[in-house]
Structures are given as structure tokens and as C-alpha cells.
Amino acid sequence: MADTLLQICGVSAAVEGEEILHDVSLNINKGETHVLMGPNGAGKSTLGNVLMGNPVYALTGGSILFDGEDISKESADKRACRGMFLSFQNPLEVPGLALDSFIRNALRQRTGKNVKFMQFNKDLMNTMKLLNMDPSYAERDLNVGFSGGEKKKSEILQLLMMNPRFAILDETDSGLDVDAVKTVSEGIREYQKREDGALLIITHNAKILESLHVDYTHVLVKGRIVKTGDASLVEEIGKNGFEQFL
Amino acid sequence: MSNDYIKDKPIDVSTDTDRILLDGVERELYDFVDEEREEDFYRINEGLTEEIVRKISEEKHDPDWMLEFRLKSLKIYNELEMPDWGPPIDGLNMDNIATYVRSKSNMVNSWDEVPEDIKNAFDKLGIPQAERESLAGVGAQYDSELVYHNVRKDVEESGVVYTDMESALTGEYSEMVHEHFMKLVPPTDHKFAALHGAVWSGGSFVYVPPGVHLEIPLQSYFRLNARGAGQFEHTLIIVDEGADLHFIEGCSAPKYNTANLHAGCVELYIRKNARLRYSTIENWSKNMYNLNTKRAICEEGGIIEWVSGSFGSHESYLYPTSVLKGDRSHSEFTGVTFAGKGQNLDTGAKVIHIGKNTSSFIDTKSICKSGGISTYRSSVVITKSAEGAKASVNCGSLMLDNISRSDTIPAVDVRTDKADVGHEAKIGRISDEAVFYLMSRGISEAEARAMIVSGFANPVSKELPLEYAAEMNNLIKLEMEGG
């Protein structure tokens, strides 16, 4: 149990009174990469949002443990401070809030420590370079006027700068062209390289997983996990689709 | 503290919460009431009569023409009707307002000589500190009179005049003052302009000679401390040909249960190819009726830039006006208004295009919360002579809950077909998704909301010098927490 990071214990969740997730259980250990696949509307994004504590979704059953502690009732910021992270499927635009000062501010809130400007700026520039982001984006308003691809890169930039212990990537590959998928994938690999960083990658596209190490694959259908396997399951779904699980 | 960071990127102070937190988010910063010992203050009886106006004039050693001007204004005041378009002002009874209150000590130019209690009040607001750090000159008005005035020596040597209005009336520039005083805003303009003409006191006179560029701003700070009193300061600024000035005014008052009144008047003359930036951070207490009149006139190629943050007062009527008289003159107005609980703020801007190829931009943001009412009201007039004029109006409103109210009343009057006028308005709410997004990065809910609101107001704060941008963000944070 020493290596267990996240325990999802029989979680059911509803949005606007309608139950989307039914009795979902899943354990994620330190350093592991899990993939969550499933047809549209299966509840994949709901699970990501429930794990992060989006108040729109109500936990109707079960519990979520992080480091063995029950975080089911904690707000999103507290979960983030514990080291959780969610890369949004549709990152929001916040006018007047510059990307770089936002990340720095968030880092400061999360770690409770001052973040030295010079070092921060160096890290930020290096990470943006890794992600093929134009340095001018650092001073732009958070996601405002960013293309779909730049928004996703902005999420991975935040991931690498925040350096959480567990990250949920919600369809980070959707709407990206081939080159952008490659870049984002490199960013994720960079995160995997770091010690103990765990991942839950939500996708219905195998492309982004090609160059990533995957430990487990789960298939979610109609709010239930119907199959768990290793990396080869991704390939199988790529060939045969979800038909067999319906 | 991350000064290095702020200096590197002044535009982003809106998100620098360290700075905001360090400055202390305490309402008491503005609301403290100074213990005024009655024997230290001279106070004229409440109400408005010829006798009182004569008394003020005598107290102030007015030149003869000014006494006449006051009496004429009083007559106009009595003849004019109350304004009927904005928030109700029934709660304001002139019989209960003392129009003149001053400390018995005289104005000084050394901070050490300012009476202790007044000094404490300004110290709490960081006035002398701000001067040391970033200003070319400072005036501080307490109730009806300036208690402190000082200008840096090099600024004085460049020929810039920055003095209290009373000295200006009798000093070297007395003729210039006589020639311009309430010519741009005549007492006949509206009832409170007439009131101002009758009982005005305090304020500043600035003259910048041709070609002189002031690299750092001048500032006046107005504090109305007396209960049930009015403040009627007059600001007259003349920026001569090719000169450049940034003037900042700040205002605050403690909260009393009785109504206070502010009916100041600002007249700005921008001559050929001169430029003036006029920045205001207003934080009157929430029992204040703020019925203020500000107007600028630009000669050929002149530029007026208004930057305005309105946070305080119970009710405000405030529409800084730019008269673009000269060809190619230009006006920019950037403003934010924050109406919280019990506030009804009617703010906006006016532009009158007269000269050819004149241009104007209005960019305003209004925020309302906890039942506050924020009305954006603007008027852009393009006269027949203003061929080639361009005007653009952009106003955004953010409502933070369901009990607050935001209205947008933009008027455009174009009398030539050779003009280009654009208008855009947006009203919105804070998106819960955006709050969750920021929270998922470790930011608390309150902080996330404040960041979104500060970001919304950022077009204004980025136009302000650093200290004031920080103060404005501090005020936004205060308003977000209060109510």
C-alpha cells in the first residue's frame, strides 16, 4: 500500500440529478500511467472532473482517497495543493490575467513558498521551448485568443511548471494536428520522466499514446469500468473499436 | 515580496497577490475616523445662505471678483432644478451640510510641520511615502483646505507651477486663474456646478510652460474627514503648447451615518500639441454623494487621457468630458466602476468633437455586486464641423450576483456623414467553470474570483502607475470580500 497514490472506491456521481458514474473503483500507484478510454458520453470527463472536485458534479456514492486520506469533500484548490492536476478538455479564457504571472501565482499558492522570478522565468522559457510555444505567449492573457492547439499546450505548460504528483489529462489530444499531438506527447513524456509522477490519460484516440509508456488501460462504458488491461488493450481498441464492450 | 517581478512586468500587477496581501486588505485603511478636537478646527455652520457664502469668502481672503462670482453662483444655484436623470439624491439636504471646515493650522511645505492628527491620517494612506517614491509634487487637502504642499526643486526650476488654488488667486498667475476659472464649467452648467462656484475651497492650480515634459506625476490627495461636511475643491490645470503632464488625484473619507457631499470641479486646458494624463482613484466612503464635474478642452493636436477608478461613494454622478476643439486633437477615457452594497454609481464619459480629424476612445468596465447598481452613461457628439472624426466606445459590465444591476446608456449624436463611429457593449457574469479552472491550479475560490475581476479591470490598472494599480487591486479585493 505504500505506493498507492489515488484510490477511487466505488464512486458514483451525478450531474443535474442524473447519475453518470456508477460504482467506479480504481487504484493508481505512484509513477503509474493509466489510460481511460470509452465511447462518447461514457462519463470519462465526468470522472476527471469528479476527481478534481468540480462542484457541478455531485458525488452520490463512494469515496476518493489521496495518500490514504479521504478528499471526497475537499474543494478543488485543496486537492491541487495536495498535488493533483487536471488538464482541461476546453481550457477557459481569463482576460487580464497573464499566463506567466498566473502560473507563478498558482505555484506560490500551491507550495506556500515564494517563487524566485529569475529561476521561474528560466524554467518557463525552457518549458515553452520544449512545447514549441512562442515566448510571447507568456505575457498574453490566459488562453485568450489562443488556438485550440495553443490552449492544449498551455495546459501541458502548466502541468510541467506546477509539477503535480498526479495529473488527469482530459482529451488533451482532441482537436490537435499531427505536429501538435507529437509536441504535447513529448511534454507528457517529460512529465513521466520525473520521479513518481502519476497520470490518468483520458482519450479516445490512440495516437497520443504511441510514444508514451502505459501501465494500465481501462474501458469505461455507460459509467462503469467494463474492462481493465495493459497497454495492448489500447491497440486492440484501435483495431476493433468499443463494439465488443457495449 | 516580489518587487523584482513587479518591476520587470508592471502590467501584471493585477495578479500579483503577494503585493496585494502585503499592502494589507483592511477596510480600516480608509474608514478610520480621526479624532478631531473641536478647538483645532474652524467650521462654518451648516446650510447655504448668502451670509455663509460671504463668510467663506472672507475666511479665504478672496479677491473682490471672486466674492462677486460666488454670490452670482449662489443665485444661479437657487434658480436651477436638481438633476433628474440619475440616481435619486433626496437623501442630500444642503441644510445639513457644512460647506467649509478647516484646520486652524496653516498650510506647510514640510511634512514634519503638519499637525499630528492630520499627519497620522495621511500617513495611514501612504501619502508622504508615495511622494518620496515616485512623485514630482504633492498636495494634500484635509476637509476644505490644503494642509500640505510640496514640489520637487528641479520641477519648480523647470517653470512648472503647482500650488493651492488660494495662493494662485493672488499670486503671480492670478490673471491666468481669473481668465480660466469656471469658464469651461460655468456655474450655469448644472445645479452642483453653481453650488461649487458659490462655496468652492481648496484644490490645486497647475501650469506647465511650453515644451516642458514632466517625467513623473504630480499628485493631489483629498481627504474629507469632517462629519456632515462638503468638499468643493477646484482643480485648474493648464498644459501649455507641446508640454506633457501626468496628474493624479486620490480621494477618501471615513464613513459616517450622516450624508457627506463632494462637488468638486476639474478644468483642464490642453493647448496645441500638449498632452495631459489625468488619473483618479476615488474611494469616498459609502455615505458620500459624489456630484463631481470634470472637463477638458484640447486645442490643435492636444491629447487628453483620462484614467478613472470609481470605487466609493453612496451615489455618484461622474462623466468626465473632453471637448476636442482643435483639429487632430484626441481623447482617451479608460475607466472602471465598482458598485457594491448600497451604492448607485452613474458614471461614464462625454466627448464633443468639434475640430477636424479629431479622435476619441472610450473604454469602460463596470462591476456590480451585493445589490449595487452601476450605470454606464456616455455621450459622443460629433458636430458638423468635425469632418474626419473617429470615435469608438467600448463598455463591458460584470455582474457578480443576481441581485445587482447594470445598465448601459450610450448616446451618440453625429451631425456629419464624414465621421466614423463604433460602439460595442457587453454584459456578463463570472463563469463558474473559470473559477473551477483557477481553483484546480491551487487558487482559493475567493482568490480566483478576485483574480477574474482584477483581470476584467486590468485595462484600467495597467494604465496606472504601479502604486496606484496596486491600490486599485487592493480596493477590488476589499470589495470582493465585503458585503
Side-chain angles (χ1 to χ4, degrees), chain B residues 83-130:
Chain B
D84 59 357
W85 69 86
I89 40 181
D90 319 345
L92 179 68
N93 183 348
M94 280 311 293
D95 293 340
N96 298 329
I97 297 280
T99 49
Y100 187 77
V101 183
R102 70 161 166 81
S103 162
K104 283 183 182 163
S105 58
N106 291 322
M107 188 181 80
V108 295
N109 58 15
S110 156
W111 191 247
D112 292 337
E113 293 167 38
V114 175
E116 205 60 33
D117 47 353
I118 296 176
K119 193 157 69 178
N120 285 342
F122 281 111
D123 270 341
K124 281 183 204 165
L125 296 162
I127 306 308
Q129 191 188 340

Side-chain angles (χ1 to χ4, degrees), chain B residues 61-78:
Chain B
H61 311 290
D62 275 344
D64 292 344
W65 71 267
M66 184 54 80
L67 173 62
E68 274 172 47
F69 188 92
R70 287 181 189 279
L71 294 172
K72 195 182 85 192
S73 300
L74 177 66
K75 194 163 168 283
I76 297 167
Y77 171 83
N78 286 325

Side-chain angles (χ1 to χ4, degrees), chain A residues 179-192:
Chain A
D179 291 339
V181 168
K182 208 173 146 219
T183 308
V184 162
S185 179
E186 267 165 37
I188 299 169
R189 204 163 59 234
E190 177 68 24
Y191 172 73
Q192 282 184 321

Side-chain angles (χ1 to χ4, degrees), chain A residues 49 52-57 75-78 80-81 84-88 91-98 100-102 104-110 114-118 120 138-139 141-143 151 154-155 158 162, chain B residues 1-9 11-21 365 431-448 450-459 461-462 477:
Chain A
N49 276 281
M52 199 66 225
N54 187 341
V56 170
Y57 300 86
S75 56
D77 56 316
K78 297 225 168 64
C81 290
M84 292 177 72
F85 182 92
L86 171 64
S87 167
F88 281 55
L92 287 105
E93 301 188 0
V94 185
L97 182 58
D100 57 357
S101 54
F102 165 61
R104 189 159 174 259
N105 214 320
L107 256 178
R108 201 157 38 204
Q109 302 259 330
R110 193 166 93 67
N114 193 19
V115 182
K116 293 251 188 312
F117 176 69
M118 298 299 277
F120 170 80
E139 293 179 19
D141 290 356
L142 183 56
N143 299 329
K151 280 183 184 170
S154 153
E155 293 294 282
Q158 292 172 46
M162 307 286 293
Chain B
M1 178 68 199
S2 49
N3 248 332
D4 52 343
Y5 182 56
I6 292 174
K7 273 175 195 149
D8 275 299
K9 293 203 66 245
I11 283 168
D12 287 342
V13 289
S14 65
T15 56
D16 206 283
T17 46
D18 253 18
R19 167 113 198 169
I20 294 165
L21 293 171
K365 307 282 177 192
S431 120
D432 290 338
E433 269 305 291
V435 173
F436 171 60
Y437 183 51
L438 299 188
M439 287 176 74
S440 77
R441 301 300 185 250
I443 291 160
S444 72
E445 183 177 349
E447 188 77 32
M451 279 170 107
I452 291 168
V453 174
S454 290
F456 177 75
N458 191 45
S461 48
K462 76 180 183 194
K477 222 175 141 66

Side-chain angles (χ1 to χ4, degrees), chain B residues 153-201:
Chain B
K153 221 179 171 64
D154 55 327
V155 173
E156 216 163 44
E157 280 164 4
S158 70
V160 172
V161 179
Y162 178 31
T163 175
D164 60 296
M165 275 304 292
E166 284 71 14
S167 308
L169 268 181
T170 52
E172 195 187 339
Y173 289 83
S174 58
E175 254 174 57
M176 192 186 265
V177 173
H178 192 170
E179 211 177 294
H180 293 88
F181 186 88
M182 292 199 84
K183 290 295 192 307
L184 198 48
V185 182
T188 46
D189 210 73
H190 58 86
K191 194 169 179 79
F192 290 91
L195 174 66
H196 178 91
V199 300
W200 77 272
S201 177

